[in-house]
Amino acid sequence: MAAFRSLTADRLPLEPFVIAAAQGRNAKSSEEKGLFVNDELPLHLFAPRDIPIPETAPGMLRLFEHFKIPSAFIAESTQNISQSLAVQKDIDGTAYIWFHFLCKTFVHERRAMHDSADIERVRIHAQNQSQADFSWLKPGFVLKVKKQPGFPRMPGRTRTSSSDATMALASPEPSVELLCFGAPESLGDRFRKLASVAICDDLLQDPYVLLEVVLEEMYKVLDRTGWDISHIFGNIEAETLELATTPGKAKDLPRHHFTGLHNLAKQVTYLRENCDSALATLSGLRHHHSSVIGEHPEPAQEFTRQAFEYRKTLFQSTQRRLASLDKRMANIIQLSFHLVTVGDSRIMMSENQSMKTIAVMTLIFMPLGTVAGIFGTQFMKLDEDEPWHIRVSQDFWLLWVIAVPLTLIVLFIWRVWYYVVRGRLRDDLPPRWLRWATGIFEKKKKGHDGRRKDPEKAAYDAGAVVTST
């Protein structure tokens, strides 16, 4: 009756796993190595990443069935879960501890080759940007601990409240299996070295030490990625600070300066998320391990507890360093914008100087041009014979009757336009005597865009509030 409570009874996640593999939904795994089994220690199995791809799906399904991988772990693979931790016990007494560890790995100055299909072009273009090259590492780990009642019970020491140490029958020997999906090669090398120095019985005393080894190697991957990004950003930071001493040379900033900074900041954001997820996983493991070992742990269990505590401080150190790196990037991005602004301001100042020179020259020659224009009209004529007097027409007053009103009209139109534009920029209501002009400009704009404006809305584009009676 209790069979449905088995962690492997629900095989529903296998169907979407098979469908996704047939459709090729996921990209090809970066871990293309086959199965690697280490039986010198408690069984360690290294397999490709647990994602549904056509190349590995059949073998993965057989692997899931053979080792009775929990259905929830398989479901996480099809749902692209970024962080998880589960500690459950099956109906046969087998304890399962599993989690996924998502980490971004940064690969500088490398360009991955992709298909040229249209659906890939946007992603390819994004990855070909400055400092945008990266890959994802998402290994999954399953630790199975099962007591073996068939082993002979060996006497051991247990602690009780009535005595410091008494002889008692030890618990059955455990059977330990650790399955690593898509783990980095450094973890396999670490377990190979561990096999040469560790004793199987020592590891069986507290199998959780295997997960501590896993977290140690994953921390190295995350921390190394953080340092790689920090070193790349350090070079950009030094170049930017050097240009800050000569703001006029802001044009010397690399073409993809801001794109590279944005992508680096994005990588740091992802890494901070990965670090937070790792700390959450580690916190759950520490809590569960403490509940298992109780108040009087054995030496091996105490060692594992201390190792978890130490690993926590390392993840926290990387977390603080990433937060500091994030702030440094924000400062450099702000400084870069200031440098560009200062450079543009200096260009505008040089152009203003040119316009100022033109304006001064215009003012100098304007009176001469005005006089020349007046004397060049038909209202004034120079006698051809001596004494060469200038004769002024009796209709000379017509020149001023026409010129003066036209000048006043031009000045008035310019002033109205100036107030309307300034009001839009400042989000201010125009003076009362200019409300009619605002309406004219609005009607003109409506004629250009072909849309009607609600009369209850603002009288101009800046959003000024108009009250109606």
Side-chain angles (χ1 to χ4, degrees), residues 284-388:
L285 282 175
R286 289 172 53 245
H287 176 74
H288 171 69
H289 184 258
S290 299
S291 65
V292 170
I293 65 177
E295 298 180 356
H296 304 287
E298 297 295 331
Q301 296 172 337
E302 178 64 20
F303 172 81
T304 304
R305 186 190 67 80
Q306 294 174 354
F308 279 146
E309 292 288 341
Y310 173 64
R311 198 61 51 201
K312 173 186 174 183
T313 61
L314 292 180
F315 275 110
Q316 289 176 338
S317 174
T318 301
Q319 185 183 43
R320 287 189 287 267
R321 177 156 44 83
L322 290 175
S324 174
L325 182 61
D326 195 13
K327 292 182 179 179
R328 287 171 55 196
M329 287 185 177
N331 291 337
I332 289 299
I333 291 176
Q334 185 177 11
L335 176 61
S336 300
F337 274 114
H338 288 330
L339 290 177
V340 173
T341 303
V342 171
D344 292 343
S345 299
R346 294 197 172 192
I347 294 176
M348 292 179 64
M349 290 175 61
S350 63
E351 293 179 352
N352 289 339
Q353 287 296 115
S354 300
M355 296 302 297
K356 182 179 179 181
T357 303
I358 295 174
V360 171
M361 298 301 295
T362 302
L363 289 175
I364 293 175
F365 290 99
M366 183 181 294
L368 180 60
T370 303
V371 172
I374 293 175
F375 280 94
T377 62
Q378 297 296 325
F379 294 102
M380 292 187 179
K381 291 183 178 180
L382 181 64
D383 293 339
E384 297 180 357
D385 301 326
E386 293 183 1
W388 296 295

Side-chain angles (χ1 to χ4, degrees), residues 222-277:
L222 190 149
D223 188 68
R224 181 172 62 252
T225 304
W227 279 115
D228 290 343
I229 294 178
S230 179
H231 291 156
I232 295 172
F233 170 72
N235 296 331
I236 298 177
E237 184 180 36
E239 294 175 358
T240 306
L241 293 176
E242 181 67 22
L243 289 175
T245 59
T246 54
K249 294 184 178 180
K251 63 180 182 299
D252 295 337
L253 286 172
R255 178 183 177 185
H256 300 293
H257 178 76
F258 288 101
T259 303
L261 282 177
H262 168 75
N263 284 322
L264 286 177
K266 180 177 65 175
Q267 315 298 351
V268 172
T269 301
Y270 285 141
L271 276 182
R272 293 185 66 180
E273 177 187 358
N274 300 155
C275 195
D276 292 341
S277 300

